[in-house]
Amino acid sequence: MSKEEKKLTRSLNNDRSNKELLRTEINNATDPNVRLELTKMLLDIEKAEKKRKITRWSFIIVLILGFTFFLWHLGNKSTKETKPNQVSETQTSTSKETTSDTSTTQSTFSETNLTEAQVKEWVMSILDLLPPPPTRYLLDMKTDDKDKLIYISVGIDQMDSLGTFRINAQGELEAKGAITGSLVDPNWTLMSKKYLDTSIAEEFFKEKNAKNSKINDTFQSARQMLIGKKYSIVPILYDGQDAAEAMEDNKAPQNLIHDGAQEITFIDDTTIRTELLGNYRPDYEDTYSINENKLMIRHNDIPYTLSNSGISFDTWTTEMDGHTVTWQMK
């Protein structure tokens, strides 16, 4: 781990400790001015965490969405050069004459027996189908001691890994990670069966682009429905019990609804304004993001659905001091 990564880890750990300390101090403070200052400090820490996360993944998002332009261009090409499906090499060697017989041997090209330069060239033929990186690709090739397969990690100068390629036992080139458009899928995706043949990868990216375009249309429509609207977020259940009843039974914090309820106004594509209950709790602006099925606001992942009648939200849960709180947005 580099010095910069160690410093970032220590900073994140410190931020988490500071947040827990600040929350405790806010709950214990009786002076409204003190609670206001402590709340501002907590918001600053959370905003700093969000900015680091956005910076870390911004390039990955650009890379995935960049498939749209390339594959649109690819689909409109009238002609396409075809790369050879197979490269064959035959080597003939003649042994020295020791008797009256002369022997000749031949070896056939195999994708499982490539040189390091050939492996990297094969990987680059797939990467060249993607939008170019801001700097340059870094390829690190290793052979696994257990399965004896060749693995090629792909990175970019001063950025995270973009994923991994491997040559499987059948001599096929596979990939997983951000290269395939998925950060969490553990399965390998076939990219090429023959050395330098990119036809399978081109078809994969074309289908991925069509899916991404549909997904993009979905959350763009959702954004348009949200902008200018105001919604209330309130806790409705505490460990499965009605939140108000749980407070009456002293099972839930007495300030659960008062401190948890908030109103959210969507200002533009990325910005919301949050209004909290109580005069001592300041309003503030924050950012949000959205994908094809979830609205993400700070620590809340809010599921939504689109229909002809508009957008609707399902309930979701968060953990609070070992208890489960169910929330509703309407």
Side-chain angles (χ1 to χ4, degrees), residues 49-63:
E49 287 179 344
K50 184 132 189 173
K51 287 180 180 179
R52 283 195 295 269
K53 182 177 180 182
I54 292 172
T55 300
R56 186 176 182 86
W57 293 108
S58 60
F59 174 75
I60 301 300
I61 296 173
V62 170
L63 176 66

Side-chain angles (χ1 to χ4, degrees), residues 306-319:
L306 290 179
S307 64
N308 293 333
S309 59
I311 185 170
S312 58
F313 299 94
D314 295 329
T315 60
W316 72 99
T317 62
T318 61
E319 294 299 315

Side-chain angles (χ1 to χ4, degrees), residues 22-90:
L22 285 171
R23 289 194 179 103
T24 301
E25 292 298 327
I26 290 172
N27 290 331
N28 293 334
T30 57
D31 189 330
N33 292 326
V34 172
R35 288 175 65 93
L36 174 60
E37 292 303 321
L38 293 175
T39 301
K40 289 181 178 179
M41 293 172 63
L42 178 60
L43 294 176
D44 288 340
I45 291 175
E46 292 180 338
K47 285 186 177 181
E49 287 179 344
K50 184 132 189 173
K51 287 180 180 179
R52 283 195 295 269
K53 182 177 180 182
I54 292 172
T55 300
R56 186 176 182 86
W57 293 108
S58 60
F59 174 75
I60 301 300
I61 296 173
V62 170
L63 176 66
I64 294 173
L65 295 180
F67 292 162
T68 302
F69 173 78
F70 168 77
L71 294 172
W72 173 85
H73 175 72
L74 180 67
N76 285 275
K77 292 172 65 177
S78 58
T79 60
K80 178 171 64 176
E81 294 182 357
T82 303
K83 295 184 178 180
N85 289 333
Q86 185 174 5
V87 177
S88 298
E89 295 180 352
T90 303

Side-chain angles (χ1 to χ4, degrees), residues 29-287:
T30 57
D31 189 330
N33 292 326
V34 172
R35 288 175 65 93
L36 174 60
E37 292 303 321
L38 293 175
T39 301
K40 289 181 178 179
M41 293 172 63
L42 178 60
L43 294 176
D44 288 340
I45 291 175
E46 292 180 338
K47 285 186 177 181
E49 287 179 344
K50 184 132 189 173
K51 287 180 180 179
R52 283 195 295 269
K53 182 177 180 182
I54 292 172
T55 300
R56 186 176 182 86
W57 293 108
S58 60
F59 174 75
I60 301 300
I61 296 173
V62 170
L63 176 66
I64 294 173
L65 295 180
F67 292 162
T68 302
F69 173 78
F70 168 77
L71 294 172
W72 173 85
H73 175 72
L74 180 67
N76 285 275
K77 292 172 65 177
S78 58
T79 60
K80 178 171 64 176
E81 294 182 357
T82 303
K83 295 184 178 180
N85 289 333
Q86 185 174 5
V87 177
S88 298
E89 295 180 352
T90 303
Q91 298 177 337
T92 304
S93 61
T94 305
S95 62
K96 294 182 179 180
E97 185 175 345
T98 56
T99 63
S100 59
D101 296 329
T102 301
S103 61
T104 302
T105 60
Q106 292 183 335
S107 61
T108 303
F109 178 88
S110 172
E111 282 83 358
T112 59
N113 191 29
L114 301 176
T115 66
E116 181 174 352
Q118 288 173 322
V119 170
K120 291 183 176 180
E121 184 179 14
W122 197 4
V123 170
M124 284 304 304
S125 71
I126 306 301
L127 293 176
D128 285 342
L129 300 177
L130 306 177
T135 54
R136 65 187 180 91
Y137 289 115
L138 300 176
L139 305 184
D140 182 21
M141 190 176 82
K142 295 181 180 178
T143 300
D144 188 270
D145 293 335
K146 294 182 180 179
D147 58 24
K148 306 302 180 183
L149 299 181
I150 296 174
Y151 291 82
I152 309 93
S153 298
V154 181
I156 297 178
D157 277 346
Q158 301 177 354
M159 299 194 73
D160 292 338
S161 171
L162 296 180
T164 305
F165 286 87
R166 78 172 181 183
I167 299 177
N168 62 24
Q170 291 73 43
E172 301 168 333
L173 186 64
E174 301 175 317
K176 70 176 181 179
I179 296 166
T180 65
S182 175
L183 302 176
V184 295
D185 189 354
N187 299 316
W188 291 92
T189 299
L190 180 64
M191 289 285 118
S192 178
K193 288 187 175 182
K194 299 296 182 181
Y195 179 60
L196 296 183
D197 176 25
T198 62
S199 57
I200 294 177
E202 289 172 0
E203 185 63 27
F204 170 80
F205 290 141
K206 184 177 180 179
E207 293 178 0
K208 192 70 178 178
N209 174 68
K211 181 179 179 180
N212 286 342
S213 295
K214 183 177 180 181
I215 291 173
N216 185 62
D217 290 343
T218 298
F219 64 73
Q220 288 298 341
S221 297
R223 272 199 174 99
Q224 294 305 312
M225 293 181 183
L226 290 173
I227 295 175
K229 302 293 194 322
K230 177 182 284 190
Y231 291 83
S232 295
I233 296 178
V234 293
I236 58 173
L237 299 176
Y238 186 83
D239 287 339
Q241 182 181 7
D242 180 82
E245 292 179 0
M247 290 171 59
E248 291 177 1
D249 295 342
N250 291 320
K251 295 180 180 179
Q254 296 303 299
N255 59 349
L256 174 65
I257 295 178
H258 183 274
D259 288 356
Q262 53 190 294
E263 291 188 340
I264 303 295
T265 301
F266 292 85
I267 299 175
D268 54 33
D269 286 354
T270 59
T271 309
I272 57 173
R273 183 167 184 80
T274 300
E275 301 175 33
L276 303 172
L277 295 180
N279 295 328
Y280 60 87
R281 305 196 64 165
D283 300 342
Y284 62 93
E285 289 188 359
D286 205 344
T287 58

